[in-house]
Amino acid sequence: MADDRTPAPTHRAAAERLHDDLLNELTPAEWRLVVSLVEALATSDEAECPVCRRQIDRVSLAEHLASCRDSSVTRTRRLEVVDANGRVRLLVGQLDHPPAPSTVGLALLDETGHERAVLSLEPEGPQLELTSQGHNTAVLLGVADPGGEVDANTYLVLFDHEATPAAAWRVNAAGKLLVFAASTETSGT
């Protein structure tokens, strides 16, 4: 006589295949989530999910893992997108810019790994920096927050090939436009 609590062999095999398929689909981050929750629930009746911070119990573990797995929010400190050769080409998150190592932003990198376009939130405010192939700053556009080191609310600076400011436009806190030009020479070339 069959035990009513034991699934029929065909159902058990199907359940095992589904279980194996699900485990093969888990990313390393999802595995860490599963492990942390199982470890926490091994010694306690409830645990806090590291993804959504909700309290869950042993009974709702599987359902909760599925809901977190399907979540439209991914949390990370830094995202690196690589090209077909494994070279980082896009950074999103902490950029490690001296002198402010906690600068956050988005950086596009060339094939040699140098940042060519960076949108960042610097200590003085947001800025966009474009660099030349020689890795010198070519264009700097930003907004300086009041009380910062720069006496301007908005600024645009153009640099020469040696990264020396060639021209700059700044609007100060009083709304006055300040213009700087390193040279007034004009050339037909």
Side-chain angles (χ1 to χ4, degrees), residues 164-182:
T164 303
W169 295 262
R170 297 177 183 246
V171 177
N172 66 14
K176 183 177 178 184
L177 175 64
L178 308 171
V179 179
F180 162 81

Side-chain angles (χ1 to χ4, degrees), residues 95 97 103-107 118-122 125-129 141:
L95 298 178
H97 285 166
T103 297
V104 295
L106 179 140
V118 177
L119 176 61
S120 61
L121 185 56
E122 302 293 334
Q127 83 177 17
L128 173 65
E129 179 181 8
L141 172 67

Side-chain angles (χ1 to χ4, degrees), residues 129-132 134-140 157-167 180:
E129 179 181 8
L130 305 175
T131 62
S132 66
H135 313 297
N136 291 327
T137 300
V139 178
L140 193 60
V157 184
L158 305 178
F159 296 83
D160 65 16
H161 66 282
E162 295 175 352
T164 303
F180 162 81

Side-chain angles (χ1 to χ4, degrees), residues 37 40-41 44-61 63-65 67-68:
L37 286 172
L41 289 172
S44 176
D45 290 335
E46 286 190 340
E48 181 181 89
C49 175
V51 174
C52 67
R53 305 292 184 214
R54 290 191 337 227
Q55 290 292 320
I56 59 167
D57 58 26
R58 291 180 191 147
V59 175
S60 62
L61 176 61
E63 181 180 308
H64 183 77
L65 288 173
S67 71
C68 280

